[in-house]
Amino acid sequence: EGGTTGRGAPPCGLVRSCDRLPCGGSTWGPPVVGGLASWPRVGARTDRSVRVPVILVGQAVLGYSAVLNMMASGSATAVVAGLFLLGLGWSIVTVPAAALLSQSVPAPSRPFVQGAGDSAMNAAAAIGAIASGPVMATLGFSGLAGIGGMLILPVLWMARRPLRFTVQVPMAVPPLYTG
């Protein structure tokens, strides 16, 4: 049962076995909808809240996604729901984490630090995508989901410690032209 659709997506055979959705749409659609459709609400919530609790909610959603994908990887419906939650959790974590990162440095350094943070996140995603093929071939989709779920543990461990050098201010964007 053939390969992946790309970038660490579940194998086509996993979802195709139920013949309900086309392979690409069933593996890429849910995370994209879960992640991108939620950004405006997550951003609004982040602007009204302290960042770390919102990040921890995202970690809980990612954990639930991992458990769902581990326990019900044979069900196309469960996989679609788990992938939707994966995208949603990613959004809930990424938006406030980016704001927290930007607020932790002086204003002149923010563009560089944010760019470095985005580059590090993309590099980690690339490494994860490369590693997911052999993990998937060895442990299956449930094993891959389990390893993904374990990645929330360092975040939860770090959340126990108080943040230092962080100022909680709204991330207002100055107008480009004030004339």
Side-chain angles (χ1 to χ4, degrees):
E1 300 213 309
T4 64
T5 58
R7 289 188 68 203
C12 294
L14 176 68
V15 177
R16 194 182 311 130
S17 64
C18 294
D19 292 327
R20 290 199 176 105
L21 295 169
C23 180
S26 60
T27 58
W28 280 109
V32 169
V33 170
L36 298 181
S38 63
W39 272 35
R41 297 194 90 177
V42 171
R45 180 66 182 169
T46 298
D47 287 343
R48 292 190 309 268
S49 302
V50 178
R51 288 14 171 181
V52 174
V54 178
I55 292 170
L56 293 176
V57 168
Q59 296 299 316
V61 173
L62 290 171
Y64 183 67
S65 167
V67 168
L68 181 60
N69 281 320
M70 284 184 341
M71 303 299 282
S73 64
S75 163
T77 303
V79 168
V80 168
L83 292 175
F84 174 83
L85 290 173
L86 177 65
L88 179 62
W90 174 81
S91 180
I92 294 172
V93 168
T94 304
V95 173
L100 189 62
L101 177 64
S102 291
Q103 291 175 344
S104 68
V105 297
S109 301
R110 288 180 181 166
F112 173 78
V113 169
Q114 191 63 51
D118 289 347
S119 295
M121 181 176 64
N122 287 326
I127 292 166
I130 291 167
S132 68
V135 169
M136 182 86 168
T138 306
L139 302 176
F141 187 63
S142 294
L144 181 63
I147 291 172
M150 287 190 293
L151 294 175
I152 69 171
L153 297 177
V155 176
L156 298 177
W157 181 79
M158 288 189 300
R160 299 178 311 115
R161 301 174 23 215
L163 292 174
R164 292 179 285 166
F165 310 113
T166 302
V167 179
Q168 291 288 333
V169 294
M171 292 292 296
V173 177
L176 295 176
Y177 178 74
T178 58

